[in-house]
Amino acid sequence: MIGTTGPGIGDAARVAQLAERWGRLRERVAAAATAAGRDAGELTVVVVTKFFPARDVRALAGLGVRDVGESRDQEASAKAAALAGPHPDLRWHFVGQLQTNKARSVARYASVVHSVDRARLARALAAGAAAAGRELDCFVQVDLAAALGAAVDPARGGAAGDDVLRVADAVAAAGSLRLAGLMAVAPRGQEPARAFAELVAAAERVRRDHPCAVALSAGMSGDLEAAVAAGATHLRVGSAVLGARPGAR
Ligand SMILES: *Cc1c(COP(=O)(O)O)cnc(C)c1O
């Protein structure tokens, strides 16, 4: 179910709330960049709009947001279709666990897929992109739990160990896909800085064979400062802009 914006809040109030939170987030990202000695201009902020209605995405687009993230194909494809007319310049990022049989649909509207974690999925995305006459930027999602000695959460997805290299090779070898770099979610209960250091180490291994894979998708509402310090290029931020997700998971 797509959530509502909560009881008692009208459209104008919601737009004002999103404007305020988006403004504060941009200040937070700028401060994180300054603290890390980096230029905020090299950071792409993807606003993750999952569970929130298309009118929120429309409001965000009106505020200048260009990159939006979604985690479920059915919801994402409906919103992308709704926004294609008024905001054709929006870039859709798919950030969630993706079943192979949904790859063809995702390839029709997404510009970037952050959650490629198996070679079979890479091949399905490539076939879908080719059929749609499109190119997709892909991140290989890394499961950091094992490397950190944390409990593996299968619902999170991600490749581990040498599988990361195998998936990267599959993306690079597939026509219609570009290997952007690596993505991870810091495992629950782990120090984000330690988690992102593991991601950076995995990215260095991948770049020995794929020197162009320089992007790093890391950092969410709770840990974006640590991600920026570690060298993230893409931040995926949901609740800091949209508020708590209805029926959050
Ligand atoms: C939902 C989600 C986010 C955003 O999380 P927040 O904590 O709300 O900022 C980022 N990345 C992925 C993969 C997500 O599923």
Side-chain angles (χ1 to χ4, degrees), residues 48 50 71 95-96 183 185 220-222 236-240 245:
V48 181
K50 65 186 183 202
S71 63
V95 305
M183 174 277 219
V185 176
M220 322 203 313
S221 295
R236 309 176 313 271
V237 178
S239 48
R245 277 181 286 282

Side-chain angles (χ1 to χ4, degrees), residues 19 42 53 58 64 67 74 79 109 125 129-130 135 149 152-153 178 188 191-193 219 223-224 227 237 243 248:
E42 64 194 46
R58 200 169 173 149
D67 294 276
Q74 210 184 355
K79 286 184 195 166
Y109 58 84
L125 284 166
E135 288 217 333
V152 173
D153 178 358
R178 276 185 302 260
R188 259 185 249 283
E191 186 65 49
D223 57 18
L224 71 87
V237 178

Side-chain angles (χ1 to χ4, degrees), residues 112-156:
V112 188
V113 179
H114 292 242
S115 47
V116 183
D117 61 0
R118 22 193 228 288
R120 206 162 94 82
L121 176 58
R123 290 191 291 272
L125 284 166
R134 307 183 69 234
E135 288 217 333
L136 292 181
D137 286 327
C138 292
F139 288 87
V140 175
Q141 183 178 349
V142 181
D143 177 2
L144 297 171
L148 293 163
V152 173
D153 178 358
R156 285 272 192 213

Side-chain angles (χ1 to χ4, degrees), residues 14-20 22-23 26 45-49 52-70 79-80 82-92 241-242:
R14 177 61 170 165
V15 173
Q17 183 182 57
L18 290 172
E20 203 230 309
W22 171 237
R26 291 179 67 185
V45 179
V46 179
V47 180
V48 181
T49 50
F52 289 94
R55 66 173 180 279
D56 279 353
V57 185
R58 200 169 173 149
L60 290 165
L63 296 169
V65 170
R66 284 295 162 267
D67 294 276
V68 291
E70 287 285 335
K79 286 184 195 166
L83 272 292
H87 292 288
D89 50 349
L90 274 180
R91 278 184 299 270
W92 295 85
V241 176
L242 288 133

Side-chain angles (χ1 to χ4, degrees), residues 8-9 73 75-76 80 96 127 130 139 148 157 170 177 179 181 189 210 222 238-239 243:
I9 181 161
D73 172 56
E75 181 182 341
F139 288 87
L148 293 163
L177 304 185
L179 178 63
H210 306 287
S239 48

